Amino acid sequence: MRSRYSAYALGLIDYLLATWHPSTAPGEMELPPVKWIDLEVRHTESSADAGIVEFIARCRVNGRAQRLHETSRFVRLDGRWFYIDGQMAEPDKFIRNS
C-alpha cells in the first residue's frame, strides 16, 4: 500500500499498473494534478494470500485540502501483492480551505 501511495505521489504510472491485479486493472491511466501530502494506514489484515488495508490519504487539489478514505483489497500471487479494488468509506471531502 505504501509503495502504491508513493507511486501516486511520484507519478509512476507504470508501477501502479504493474501492481494492479490484471482482472481489475485499467488498460491505461492518467493521474490528475494532485499534490499528495500524507498517508495514514488505519488498519491492515491478511490471511493466506488475501489482504485488506484501510487508509486515509491526504492531498491538495487546486490548493484545496482533500482526503481519500478507502479500504483496499489485495491478493498475493507468486509472493507479490496486487491491488484488486477499494471501497470508499466516505466521499472525497474538503478538510479545510487553503
Side-chain angles (χ1 to χ4, degrees), residues 25 50 60 82 92:
R60 289 196 182 276
F82 293 89
D92 290 353

Side-chain angles (χ1 to χ4, degrees), residues 76-95:
R76 184 172 31 204
L77 301 171
D78 298 324
R80 292 183 57 210
W81 287 99
F82 293 89
Y83 174 79
I84 297 175
D85 59 18
Q87 178 74 37
M88 299 292 262
E90 57 189 81
D92 290 353
K93 70 179 195 180
F94 294 110
I95 297 171

Side-chain angles (χ1 to χ4, degrees), residues 9-95:
L10 296 171
L12 304 176
I13 293 173
D14 289 342
Y15 181 83
L16 292 167
L17 292 173
T19 58
W20 212 311
H21 192 273
S23 68
T24 59
E28 54 187 56
M29 65 186 294
E30 284 186 36
L31 297 178
V34 173
K35 178 178 167 87
W36 293 99
I37 300 167
D38 181 47
L39 174 67
E40 174 189 350
V41 175
R42 290 209 157 170
H43 175 78
T44 63
E45 79 183 63
S46 64
S47 66
D49 291 327
I52 294 173
V53 177
E54 178 191 1
F55 67 91
I56 295 176
R58 292 175 182 82
C59 65
R60 289 196 182 276
V61 179
N62 296 322
R64 302 186 96 182
Q66 295 187 25
R67 70 179 185 168
L68 171 75
H69 185 176
E70 180 178 303
T71 300
S72 299
R73 296 186 312 145
F74 291 84
V75 64
R76 184 172 31 204
L77 301 171
D78 298 324
R80 292 183 57 210
W81 287 99
F82 293 89
Y83 174 79
I84 297 175
D85 59 18
Q87 178 74 37
M88 299 292 262
E90 57 189 81
D92 290 353
K93 70 179 195 180
F94 294 110
I95 297 171

